[in-house]
Amino acid sequence: MTLNKGIVGMAITFMIFASNVYAGGGMTGGALEITQLANNVQLVQSQIEQAMQTQHQLNMYMAMLKNMKTLGIGGISNPQATLLDLQNVIKQAFGVSHQMGMADEYFKGMYPDYTVLMDGESYSKQHSEWTDAVVKICEASLNQADLSMANVDTDAKLLGALIEKSRTVEGQKAAIQAGNEINAQLVTKLVELKSLTAAQVKTQNTYMATQQMDKEYKEKNTRWLFRDVGEDINLDDNKAY
């Protein structure tokens, strides 16, 4: 599992051009923080792979439950571990989305003309909408399992009721089925998050590269201007003699 070479290149350029700005305050971590933003693309890819593994396990559980019902056997041993894996993937993905949203807000605060460049679009808004969509997916599946999100006050507790329900033989089928539905849609949403994160890194990196080129161009013109002025002064001095 490796990052696309283009993303690696963007991460390096972004880190070089922006580290001196971010290191000055606001977001802690300096260049390390910029590196982390680019690494989030790879992190989401690992979450996609984890979600696909969880999907496979949940599908196996569904088949096992069907066979057990036919044979009149009890429940599955310890399905909570797989549901915990699902909850952890959601929690980590929310962390990535939140971090990228904060970075976008900070970036817009540092560079007002960047907002003009975005022409009304906002990565932070898109990340917020992505998180809301995942919460709604969880809410719909939990409702089908006769569970409520009314008492859920943190992301970490998002699937807590589902995990608790899976501890009883009677609740396992509903819990595993709900988890299966959530996970299936989560894979698609994670692919969206990866694309959104990569696009944000690319856009902000391109902006920083353009800023750097403009700066170098202005500095070059300034050097030429002072050199020409210096030559004119020298010519005038020679005429005096």
Side-chain angles (χ1 to χ4, degrees):
M1 180 177 60
T2 57
L3 273 172
N4 179 281
K5 290 182 179 179
I7 296 295
V8 174
M10 287 188 288
I12 294 173
T13 307
F14 195 11
M15 186 168 57
I16 291 173
F17 293 152
S19 61
N20 62 323
V21 175
Y22 280 80
M27 292 181 66
T28 59
L32 179 61
E33 183 71 23
I34 302 303
T35 306
Q36 180 61 41
L37 295 183
N39 286 346
N40 279 339
V41 181
Q42 184 174 8
L43 180 59
V44 176
Q45 177 59 38
S46 70
Q47 291 163 1
I48 292 172
E49 294 174 5
Q50 177 62 52
M52 292 175 69
Q53 293 174 11
T54 302
Q55 188 72 51
H56 176 70
Q57 187 65 46
L58 289 169
N59 286 337
M60 287 180 59
Y61 283 156
M62 292 294 292
M64 290 169 65
L65 284 172
K66 184 177 180 179
N67 292 334
M68 286 176 178
K69 182 178 180 180
T70 303
L71 297 173
I73 304 174
I76 297 170
S77 175
N78 193 28
Q80 297 85 28
T82 301
L83 293 174
L84 277 170
D85 287 340
L86 171 57
Q87 177 167 273
N88 287 335
V89 169
I90 293 175
K91 182 180 178 182
Q92 292 169 13
F94 280 1
V96 169
S97 185
H98 179 66
Q99 183 187 60
M100 295 302 295
M102 287 184 63
D104 187 57
E105 287 299 310
Y106 182 81
F107 202 88
K108 287 187 289 187
M110 288 293 297
Y111 306 103
D113 56 334
Y114 167 74
T115 305
V116 177
L117 175 68
M118 291 295 291
D119 192 26
E121 294 295 323
S122 170
Y123 285 115
S124 58
K125 180 181 178 182
Q126 292 180 64
H127 281 292
S128 179
E129 291 172 347
W130 183 90
T131 302
D132 290 343
V134 175
V135 171
K136 289 180 180 178
I137 288 171
C138 294
E139 184 175 21
S141 296
L142 288 173
N143 286 337
Q144 290 180 9
D146 294 325
L147 295 170
S148 173
M149 289 183 60
N151 296 322
V152 174
D153 55 0
T154 65
D155 298 339
K157 297 180 181 179
L158 196 59
L159 300 184
L162 196 64
I163 294 170
E164 190 62 31
K165 192 177 183 72
S166 70
R167 298 185 188 280
T168 65
V169 174
E170 296 77 13
Q172 280 187 355
K173 182 178 180 181
I176 292 172
Q177 186 171 355
N180 196 34
E181 292 172 355
I182 292 171
N183 197 90
Q185 297 180 74
L186 179 63
V187 172
T188 301
K189 298 304 293 182
L190 287 172
V191 171
E192 292 178 7
L193 178 60
K194 179 184 176 183
S195 297
L196 176 60
T197 302
Q200 180 178 342
V201 172
K202 180 179 180 180
T203 300
Q204 293 178 346
N205 174 77
T206 300
Y207 174 84
M208 292 303 300
T210 302
Q211 291 291 101
Q212 181 68 15
M213 285 189 290
D214 288 345
K215 178 183 177 182
E216 292 176 352
Y217 178 77
K218 291 176 181 178
E219 289 177 347
K220 182 179 180 180
N221 283 346
T222 300
R223 287 196 299 269
W224 276 98
L225 176 63
F226 277 104
R227 193 190 71 171
D228 292 342
V229 170
E231 289 178 348
D232 290 342
I233 292 174
N234 288 335
L235 287 174
D236 290 340
D237 290 342
N238 290 332
K239 289 178 180 179
Y241 288 101

